[in-house]
């Protein structure tokens, strides 16, 4: 595999909670490596800690425990400023309303070293790259549509050639046609420049079409991690399986309707530092008494992905027997 | 006759011809999805159904009726009678629609006092009963909490219940689930469909998520550059997509099941501050013909489906419909 770019070990970010002595474990003891030039998808329910993890990577949030190491950099804190960039859902909020687009674009190139002429030509090149006209550079943020502004946000993140870009819901507010343009753009940029991308999104299909590997988070922890093909076509963790079943597919069934299988509405929980056992156990249909007592660690599945579930082996056996049965049924028809 | 009739809706905001011919109808108990590219005028269409178009905007429609009654002029005080009672709206971000300094229970109760003529005490009881119905645990305590203490999905469920509790004839939902994760989204949609069916409310559902459309809508209107370009049942739109823009929109949807790279639509929509000659989609259309560039196609009726495209004009030969490039 490619060279490691970032290593997280036991990385945590805890916030004060309502109860004294207890912390809100927004991100709890995450071990994760990011490789140079890969696109890593990050999915999971609202409040599972995806943005907090992304913000720690970009140096916008201080970890409360654990290590975050950037390989090949002696002083991680300093180097990170130029080597990690972030794209947010709302690029309007991250652009200065009183600056022309071209000026906002040149900003990440810094003050020293590069001449203004070089910066201008670089900014113009990136405008073109993201499909905007030169004239768009002369405008102010409010004079662009949402999709155009998002492209500016992306150009701005990549212009200084960072080694890692964190995209947090960067395409969620855009309609599908603009979304598709931006996904293709990200793939092209990543292929040409070899920048690694951490792509956080609610839309599972978008993540599948873009990410090489995908990590699934649940209440502050990674519960499944593997190649996107593996995670999306043969999900193993009960939470991942539940999440994928809830995805609205844009097609109709034979009754002319698409209906998702969803569990009835449930109260959401917060991850707390004094939780015991598996955090998914209260909602899990496969939970056993020991699940409520002992937290499961990530274990390697037969297919090579990593899954944090005590009942991983049984789930794998069940899926294998179901596949064999389907195969038998097929051959009995033949 | 349909509950809601909108025919050839047009709206000028200064030099911008934002809506240039939006037509659709809605029956009681029907759910129609309104889809289209960002900036095509979906929200403005919704705002005009509440009489809330921007001040100074010039409004015109050939038909604009609810239950046979012509709706008031934009900005007229006569709208007060309709808003909330006949026509209610749910917004994308429930946080902005609620008052952050007032408890959720008090705000629910107030809307009952206003629209259902309940007394203060009765209204509070009704509010708590409503929270209970939404499977929100400890409803009485929850009613005494402020909006920020609720999760996004829970708040959106409250907003929907609040809008529906006033028994409007027409409910407009503008991107009500885009800010939510898929599980919460599914919960919200289930609730919306349930309440709508129970009360026979007509629902206009604005979204850019075709997966959500497949799940909730009976019929679909596709908009492009301020006009409706295709209307039909959800089965027609999904199985017999007619307009090249609708087809492009479908090709842009990523799928969880296939490893297909979604295709973007090359180019951008026309500038509506200038006059559009010919078909507004022509510059981006892969099936464009000479006539498309200089003559505006009408919003024609086909087999139960209305399409604004020269290839689907009823008088024109069938072979027009097949693209030259296959
Ligand atoms: N600055 C903060 N102070 C206190 N709590 C916080 C802070 N930032 C985040 N949290 C909490 O940490 C948890 C994780 O939040 P985070 O924003 O990382 O979730 P997320 O996975 O990005 O969710 P979403 O999909 O809704 O964006 C949440 O419970 C949130 O309320
Ligand atoms: N108050 C206003 N003044 C001037 N122009 C406006 C106003 N409101 C909307 N517009 C313009 O009218 C067009 C249609 O806007 P609208 O908000 O209806 O789009 P939409 O289809 O809802 O898009 P989205 O999917 O991004 O929400 C856009 O070009 C927008 O910039
Ligand atoms: S009228 Fe012509 S340009 Fe417009 S959508 Fe139809 S084929 Fe394409
Ligand atoms: Mg987030
Ligand atoms: Mg809108």
């Amino acid at each position: 595999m490619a060279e490691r770019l970032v290593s997280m070990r036991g990385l945590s970010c805890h916030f004060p909670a309502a109860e004294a002595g207890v912390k809100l474990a927004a991100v709890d003891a995450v071990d994760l490596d990011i490789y140079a030039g890969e696109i890593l998808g990050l999915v999971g329910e609202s409040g599972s800690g995806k943005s907090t993890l992304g913000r720690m990577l970009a140096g916008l949030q201080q970890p409360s425990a654990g290590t975050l190491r950037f390989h090949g950099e002696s002083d991680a804190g300093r180097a990170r400023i130029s080597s990690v960039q972030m794209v947010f859902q709302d690029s309007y909020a991250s652009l200065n309303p009183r600056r022309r687009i071209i000026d906002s674009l040149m900003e990440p190139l810094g003050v020293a070293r590069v001449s203004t002429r070089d910066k201008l030509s670089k900014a113009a090149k990136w405008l073109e790259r993201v499909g905007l006209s030169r004239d768009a550079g002369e405008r102010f943020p409010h004079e662009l549509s949402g999709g155009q502004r998002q492209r500016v946000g992306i150009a701005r993140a990549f212009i200084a050639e960072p080694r890692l870009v964190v995209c947090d819901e960067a395409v969620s507010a855009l309609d599908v046609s603009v979304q598709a343009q931006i996904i293709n753009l990200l793939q092209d940029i990543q292929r040409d420049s070899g920048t690694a991308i951490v792509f956080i999104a609610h839309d599972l299909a978008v993540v599948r079409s873009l990410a090489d590997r995908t990590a699934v988070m649940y209440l502050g922890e990674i519960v499944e991690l593997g190649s996107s093909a593996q995670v999306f076509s043969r999900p193993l963790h009960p939470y991942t399986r539940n999440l994928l079943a809830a995805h609205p597919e844009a097609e109709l069934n034979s009754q002319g309707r698409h209906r998702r299988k969803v569990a009835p509405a449930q109260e959401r929980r917060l991850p707390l530092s004094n939780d015991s056992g598996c955090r998914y156990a209260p909602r899990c249909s496969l939970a056993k008494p020991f699940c409520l007592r002992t937290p499961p660690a990530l274990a390697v599945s037969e297919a090579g992905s990593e899954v944090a579930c005590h009942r991983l082996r049984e789930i794998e056996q069940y899926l294998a027997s179901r596949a064999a049965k389907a195969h038998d049924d097929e051959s009995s028809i033949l | 006759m349909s509950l809601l009739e909108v025919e050839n809706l047009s709206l000028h905001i200064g030099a911008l011809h934002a809506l240039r011919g939006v037509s659709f109808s809605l029956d009681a108990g029907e759910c129609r999805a309104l889809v289209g590219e960002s900036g095509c005028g979906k929200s403005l269409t919704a705002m005009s159904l509440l009489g809330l178009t921007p001040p100074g905007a010039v409004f015109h429609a050939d038909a604009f009726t609810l239950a046979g009654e012509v709706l008031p002029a934009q900005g007229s005080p006569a709208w007060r009678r309709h808003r909330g009672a006949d026509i209610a709206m749910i917004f994308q971000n429930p946080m902005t629609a609620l008052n952050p300094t007032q408890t959720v229970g008090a705000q629910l109760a107030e809307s009952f006092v206003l629209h259902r003529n309940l007394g203060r005490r009765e209204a509070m009881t009704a509010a708590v009963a409503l929270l209970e119905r939404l499977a929100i645990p400890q409803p009485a305590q929850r009613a005494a909490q402020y909006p920020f203490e609720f999760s996004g999905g829970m708040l959106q469920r409250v907003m929907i219940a609040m809008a529906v509790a006033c028994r409007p004839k027409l409910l407009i939902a503008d991107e009500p689930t885009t800010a939510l994760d898929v599980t919460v989204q599914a919960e919200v949609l289930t609730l919306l469909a349930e309440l709508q069916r129970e009360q026979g409310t007509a629902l206009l559902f604005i979204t850019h998520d075709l997966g959500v459309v497949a799940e909730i809508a009976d019929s679909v209107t596709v908009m492009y550059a301020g006009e409706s370009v295709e209307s039909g049942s959800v089965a027609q739109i999904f199985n017999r997509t007619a307009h090249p823009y609708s087809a492009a929109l479908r090709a842009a949807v990523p799928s969880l099941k296939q490893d297909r790279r979604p295709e973007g639509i090359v180019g951008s929509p026309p500038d509506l501050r200038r006059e559009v000659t010919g078909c507004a989609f022509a510059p981006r259309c892969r099936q464009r013909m000479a006539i498309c560039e200089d003559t505006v196609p009408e919003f024609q009726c086909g087999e139960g489906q209305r399409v604004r495209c020269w290839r689907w004009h009823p008088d024109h030969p069938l072979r027009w419909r097949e693209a030259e490039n296959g």
Side-chain angles (χ1 to χ4, degrees):
Chain A
M1 207 181 233
E3 163 207 3
R4 264 192 307 192
L5 183 64
V6 184
S7 298
M8 296 168 238
R9 290 292 174 270
L11 191 68
S12 301
C13 182
H14 290 188
F15 294 110
E19 270 174 82
V22 179
K23 292 278 169 110
L24 173 72
V27 173
D28 205 20
V30 163
D31 293 341
L32 181 64
D33 288 329
I34 298 170
Y35 295 91
E38 77 166 336
I39 302 185
L40 176 72
L42 204 53
V43 301
E45 133 176 307
S46 188
S48 57
K50 306 181 295 292
S51 298
T52 307
L53 189 68
R55 282 203 308 273
M56 286 194 284
L57 278 171
L60 301 174
Q61 172 75 54
Q62 201 59 37
S64 51
T67 58
L68 174 58
R69 194 165 152 235
F70 282 74
H71 294 277
E73 313 274 357
S74 48
D75 181 353
R78 272 205 154 271
R80 203 181 300 157
I81 297 167
S82 63
S83 64
V84 185
Q85 288 282 331
M86 199 150 174
V87 186
F88 299 94
Q89 171 169 354
D90 183 6
S91 50
Y92 198 64
S94 53
L95 290 173
N96 184 336
R98 275 188 266 281
R99 297 189 83 164
R100 290 177 314 153
I101 296 298
I102 194 95
D103 296 323
S104 289
L105 261 183
M106 292 191 303
E107 214 170 52
L109 294 174
V111 256
R113 291 190 314 202
V114 199
S115 74
T116 309
R117 210 159 118 236
D118 287 352
K119 283 196 221 167
L120 265 174
S121 81
K122 203 159 191 184
K125 197 189 99 199
W126 271 93
L127 270 181
E128 197 188 312
R129 191 84 228 269
V130 298
L132 293 174
S133 62
R134 243 158 215 271
D135 149 70
E138 300 305 315
R139 292 197 238 164
F140 291 91
H142 73 270
E143 294 174 313
L144 297 181
S145 81
Q148 291 168 331
R149 274 199 302 267
Q150 203 59 29
R151 284 183 251 198
V152 174
I154 287 169
R156 210 172 103 101
F158 283 90
I159 195 165
E161 289 161 19
R163 300 177 64 196
L164 175 66
V165 174
V166 178
C167 295
D168 192 353
E169 303 283 0
V171 300
S172 313
L174 305 174
D175 68 277
V176 283
S177 53
V178 182
Q179 225 175 48
Q181 286 172 356
I182 292 190
I183 290 169
N184 289 339
L185 175 69
L186 284 177
Q187 252 162 355
D188 291 346
I189 292 175
Q190 187 262 353
R191 209 180 20 236
D192 298 349
S193 66
T195 303
I197 299 175
V198 171
F199 191 84
I200 302 173
H202 279 317
D203 191 326
L204 303 171
V206 168
V207 175
R208 174 174 193 167
S209 69
L210 187 62
D212 306 311
R213 288 194 306 151
T214 296
V216 183
M217 287 188 78
Y218 186 76
L219 294 184
E221 297 168 320
I222 290 179
V223 296
E224 185 156 357
L225 170 68
S227 72
S228 299
Q230 164 70 21
V231 171
F232 287 107
S233 60
R234 276 196 80 219
L236 291 168
H237 195 282
Y239 172 66
T240 313
R241 300 180 64 80
N242 192 350
L243 182 72
L244 296 192
H247 175 76
E249 197 68 32
E251 56 188 36
L252 303 177
N253 62 16
S254 50
Q255 282 95 51
R257 263 291 151 88
H258 176 86
R259 277 270 173 256
R260 289 182 257 182
K261 290 176 249 128
V262 280
Q266 269 161 331
E267 181 67 349
R268 311 261 134 191
R269 288 172 62 244
L270 290 177
L272 297 175
S273 53
N274 64 351
D275 282 338
S276 62
C278 170
R279 289 202 167 103
Y280 189 59
R283 279 171 72 181
C284 182
S285 56
L286 299 177
K288 292 276 186 207
F290 53 80
C291 296
L292 290 161
R293 288 195 300 268
T294 323
L298 280 174
V300 178
S301 74
E302 277 160 18
S305 59
E306 292 174 65
V307 182
C309 173
H310 287 305
R311 306 202 61 195
L312 171 62
R313 296 294 165 234
E314 287 132 297
I315 294 170
E316 285 183 314
Q317 269 160 22
Y318 166 74
L319 290 177
S321 72
R322 205 176 61 174
K325 190 161 170 288
H327 185 257
D328 285 352
D329 286 353
E330 228 166 78
S331 23
S332 69
I333 293 169
L334 290 175
Chain B
M1 188 195 55
S2 305
L3 174 75
L4 176 71
E5 294 275 4
V6 175
E7 188 63 35
N8 211 9
L9 178 65
S10 150
L11 192 73
H12 284 268
I13 307 175
L16 180 75
H17 198 176
L19 301 180
R20 307 182 304 123
V22 180
S23 306
F24 60 90
S25 65
L26 200 54
D27 291 327
E30 180 187 347
C31 172
R32 178 175 292 274
L34 203 54
V35 301
E37 193 156 281
S38 169
C40 72
K42 303 180 295 292
S43 298
L44 281 177
T45 303
M47 293 320 266
S48 63
L49 285 167
L50 291 167
L52 294 176
T53 51
V58 181
F59 175 94
H60 170 85
D62 292 346
F64 198 57
T65 61
L66 183 74
E69 193 187 336
V70 177
L71 287 164
Q74 295 294 310
S76 151
W79 276 100
R80 227 167 283 153
R81 189 165 61 81
H82 295 288
R83 258 179 243 145
D86 282 348
I87 305 178
M89 176 131 171
I90 307 164
F91 295 90
Q92 174 173 350
N93 188 348
M95 269 320 224
T96 56
L98 285 167
N99 180 344
T101 64
Q102 223 186 355
T103 65
V104 171
Q107 294 183 60
L108 275 174
E110 192 179 296
S111 99
F112 288 143
V113 171
L114 228 60
H115 298 301
R116 288 224 303 221
N117 294 320
L118 298 183
R120 289 254 155 237
R121 176 89 43 87
E122 288 169 285
M124 200 46 157
T125 317
V128 173
L130 185 61
L131 292 182
E132 193 163 11
R133 159 98 211 260
L134 299 180
I136 292 177
Q138 303 173 304
Q141 273 143 280
R142 281 296 190 160
Q145 289 183 329
Y146 293 87
F148 76 89
E149 296 176 87
F150 280 61
S151 75
M154 217 189 258
L155 268 189
Q156 197 59 295
R157 273 162 40 213
V158 170
M159 296 304 297
I160 289 170
M162 197 161 133
V164 177
C166 303
R167 300 180 188 278
K169 295 193 183 91
L170 170 65
L171 179 61
I172 305 169
D174 194 352
E175 305 266 9
T177 59
T178 10
L180 308 174
D181 72 55
V182 284
T183 12
V184 183
Q185 182 189 67
E187 286 167 19
V188 168
L189 291 181
T190 309
L191 174 77
L192 195 55
E194 236 174 67
L195 293 176
Q196 187 220 352
R197 217 171 312 119
E198 245 169 57
Q199 309 199 345
T201 312
L203 178 60
L204 186 64
F205 195 100
I206 300 176
T207 181
H208 66 248
D209 188 334
L210 291 179
V212 168
V213 172
E215 181 156 350
I216 195 165
D218 303 308
S219 51
V220 183
T221 296
V222 182
M223 286 180 62
Y224 184 78
E227 50 190 9
S228 37
V229 296
E230 180 165 5
S231 255
S233 71
V234 68
Q236 281 169 335
I237 300 288
F238 276 86
N239 301 336
R240 290 200 290 125
T241 317
H243 198 283
Y245 172 68
S246 315
L249 197 61
R250 291 209 53 208
V253 180
S255 165
L256 198 53
K257 293 189 185 144
Q258 303 153 19
D259 268 321
R260 176 174 59 82
R261 204 172 162 177
E263 285 171 57
I265 308 175
V266 179
S268 46
D271 180 357
L272 296 182
R273 277 168 299 201
R274 303 205 185 99
E275 202 187 339
V276 178
T277 52
C279 169
F281 189 57
R284 305 169 82 181
C285 182
R286 281 199 261 176
Q287 304 184 24
R288 175 182 60 228
M289 304 168 291
I291 188 176
C292 306
E293 291 176 31
D294 51 31
T295 319
V296 177
E298 279 167 50
F299 197 38
Q300 297 278 354
C301 291
E303 306 114 33
Q305 205 162 350
R306 285 180 87 178
V307 187
R308 192 190 297 277
C309 170
W310 282 116
R311 289 205 177 262
W312 292 82
H313 193 286
D315 293 346
H316 288 302
L318 207 63
R319 64 189 154 78
W320 276 27
R321 295 184 191 171
E322 282 117 45
E324 282 92 338
N325 51 9

